[in-house]
Amino acid sequence: MVSIADYREKLFDILLLMSSWEYRDLAQVATHPMPLRAAQHVKSAEQVPRFDNSQMDGFVVHPNDPEVVAGKPVPLLPMAAAGHNPEPLTPGFAMPIMTGAKIPDWNGAAFDDDECDLCVVPVEETVAGFDDLAHVTFTPQATFESGRFVRYRGSDIDYDEELCAVGDHLTPARLGSLASVGLTQIAVFKPLRVLVVSTGDEVCQPGLRPGAAQIYDSNTSAAVAALSAAGAHVVGTLHAPDHPDLLLDAVRSWQADETRRADVVVSMGGISMGAREVIRLASELEVQQGVENWYGGAQSPRLPNSGMEFCRLPMQPGGPQAVGQLAGIPWVALPGNPVSTLVSIEVLLRTSMFGAPPRNRMSVTVHTPDGEPLSSPVGKTQMRFARLDADGSVRLEWSNSSHLLHMQADATVLVMIPQDVSVIENGDTFEALAL
């Protein structure tokens, strides 16, 4: 049994080994449907704000100026408007100032040997606001305090401050920070190019007539959607029957075309304990042929030197997993049942392999059918799709069978039942991922 955390580390190794990067304009990064990840450390060569500025519309004064605090009309200097360099403030005067406008320099000596800064008095603390263009009179409630409503230079970003590290998601706020210091480009990791492969003689592609013992392929559409939402660049899809040579030949043929070449294969099915598990058979075939994984060993001790490593994880659904290399390309094999596929992508691949931002976590109260207890397998984290109600609760169904894909269509959360829970009681509280 391999822990979920250890298996994620194996997938993360593939991300590190296969990732490539490029410079992109911030405008391009901003329009990408998923937050891209930075491929460089960025430190600021600027301060933000670049100068002291006003937090609101009002009047800038020296808080200790005796002519200002006396409660009588104070003469005004020309207005400080955003984007314009104001003239200095002199003793005995106030200056109208707009939000974001530069705080003027002080053109006078200190009062009583003080070291205080200029302040901004809001319009609400004046008698007539901006109606009088020549004078301002402050109300008795006006507060004159050093630095009040002043945004100081460098208070958001200082010189040499780290704006992002390698691997950080370029979220809207982080992109705004990069732009605020004047950057126009940043190095980003390219999304991994993924070939999605479904397997099995029992699978028929939609649009074709299924045989008497065949089912339509629902996995491919669901997997492509989930992988794309995680930030993968799906370059194409294939279906392979339960014949290892045909599987390997199909992928090699795909990879021979440089215009569509993938970085990694994600397949569904063929990894259980049956006699015709095509991924297992293909792995055994390449091991027998002496094919070595180019990235195994020294480059990544966590990944196999040859073929695929078949694992069982303490989760349900999605316990069987496999990772390694086939047909000369890194390969991640997921279980074939549709719900198992989606749970595997969500829990294992989404963040560890494709670098998608982590899901928000929440506590939810579960309601069981008719209030009756449900069983949960001890030693396995049970993953159950559910819909979050307005009161913050979710309703679990009797069955969590991994073939019941349609029952998950309206799910908004993935409830995680811990490994040590054997019985789910009505009203129990568990952690869930917001989908």
Side-chain angles (χ1 to χ4, degrees):
M1 190 79 72
V2 177
S3 72
I4 294 174
D6 287 346
Y7 194 75
R8 284 175 176 152
E9 290 292 330
K10 296 176 186 291
L11 299 178
F12 186 64
D13 278 3
I14 292 179
L15 173 65
L16 293 179
L17 290 166
M18 299 308 299
S19 289
S20 58
W21 62 272
E22 64 185 355
Y23 279 105
R24 288 198 186 182
D25 292 339
L26 291 189
Q28 288 180 302
V29 177
T31 58
H32 199 271
M34 284 287 293
L36 295 174
R37 295 175 305 113
Q40 67 176 117
H41 282 89
V42 179
K43 291 190 175 183
S44 177
E46 296 273 350
Q47 287 183 306
V48 178
R50 296 182 59 241
F51 45 79
D52 297 346
N53 68 87
S54 178
Q55 189 175 332
M56 61 176 56
D57 297 341
F59 296 84
V60 60
V61 297
H62 193 293
N64 289 349
D65 188 339
E67 298 298 319
V68 167
V69 299
K72 60 184 181 181
V74 180
L76 295 176
L77 293 172
M79 177 181 291
H84 298 270
N85 197 26
E87 65 179 72
L89 180 65
T90 54
F93 286 84
M95 180 181 293
I97 192 166
M98 300 294 101
T99 303
K102 183 180 179 182
I103 299 292
D105 294 331
W106 172 244
N107 188 22
F111 294 101
D112 299 328
D113 298 324
D114 67 4
E115 293 293 337
C116 48
D117 298 328
L118 301 184
C119 68
V120 176
V121 181
V123 175
E124 294 79 11
E125 297 178 9
T126 67
V127 174
F130 296 126
D131 293 341
D132 187 343
L133 301 181
H135 298 83
V136 62
T137 301
F138 298 106
T139 66
Q141 292 76 32
T143 299
F144 302 91
E145 180 182 312
S146 176
R148 185 179 183 224
F149 296 127
V150 174
R151 300 168 178 155
Y152 283 102
R153 176 179 181 175
S155 56
D156 185 20
I157 299 173
D158 208 350
Y159 289 122
D160 209 36
E161 186 167 337
E162 186 175 85
L163 300 181
C164 67
V166 173
D168 281 349
H169 291 100
L170 296 173
T171 60
R174 187 162 278 128
L175 286 172
S177 296
L178 294 170
S180 73
V181 299
L183 289 182
T184 60
Q185 287 189 325
I186 186 171
V188 298
F189 287 110
K190 296 179 182 179
L192 283 182
R193 294 168 58 86
V194 179
L195 174 62
V196 176
V197 177
S198 62
T199 66
D201 291 343
E202 75 279 13
V203 174
C204 172
Q205 297 307 300
L208 302 178
R209 183 182 295 275
Q214 286 188 308
I215 59 173
Y216 286 118
D217 178 8
S218 61
N219 257 344
T220 296
S221 296
V224 168
L227 291 167
S228 299
H233 176 194
V234 177
V235 295
T237 63
L238 291 175
H239 174 72
D242 289 327
H243 195 296
D245 284 321
L246 295 179
L247 168 69
L248 296 173
D249 287 346
V251 174
R252 291 185 185 119
S253 176
W254 181 278
Q255 290 294 92
D257 185 346
E258 292 189 3
T259 63
R260 61 182 189 179
R261 182 175 294 171
D263 298 318
V264 62
V265 167
V266 174
S267 65
M268 296 86 70
I271 60 172
S272 294
M273 302 305 293
R276 301 186 64 187
E277 304 295 341
V278 67
I279 304 298
R280 284 185 177 273
L281 294 174
S283 177
E284 292 170 3
L285 181 61
E286 289 209 336
V287 171
Q288 293 170 3
Q289 294 172 346
V291 178
E292 294 187 356
N293 292 352
W294 62 266
Y295 56 79
Q299 291 198 63
S300 175
R302 285 187 285 256
L303 295 173
N305 289 320
S306 181
M308 302 285 287
E309 178 183 354
F310 295 88
C311 313
R312 293 201 67 84
L313 274 58
M315 58 186 270
Q316 185 188 58
Q321 300 287 333
V323 61
Q325 177 179 304
L326 291 175
I329 181 173
W331 197 297
V332 176
L334 310 179
N337 283 322
V339 178
S340 298
T341 295
L342 292 182
V343 167
S344 299
I345 293 172
E346 179 63 40
V347 175
L348 302 174
L349 276 65
R350 183 179 179 275
T351 297
S352 300
M353 190 165 161
F354 297 110
R359 297 286 196 189
N360 291 328
R361 292 174 177 255
M362 64 181 72
S363 292
V364 296
T365 301
V366 301
H367 295 306
T368 59
D370 302 324
E372 296 295 324
L374 296 175
S375 63
S376 184
V378 175
K380 295 180 180 181
T381 300
Q382 188 177 166
M383 309 289 182
R384 301 195 66 154
F385 286 108
R387 184 172 183 83
L388 186 68
D389 291 333
D391 62 359
S393 66
V394 300
R395 184 168 299 280
L396 299 183
E397 302 297 335
W398 281 111
S399 176
N400 192 36
S401 179
S402 56
H403 75 285
L404 299 176
L405 181 61
H406 180 62
M407 290 179 60
Q408 326 301 329
D410 293 327
T412 56
V413 295
L414 182 63
V415 183
M416 298 177 291
I417 314 298
Q419 298 182 24
D420 59 351
V421 173
S422 60
V423 177
I424 305 170
E425 299 283 359
N426 189 58
D428 281 350
T429 299
F430 299 108
E431 191 173 46
L433 301 177
L435 302 177

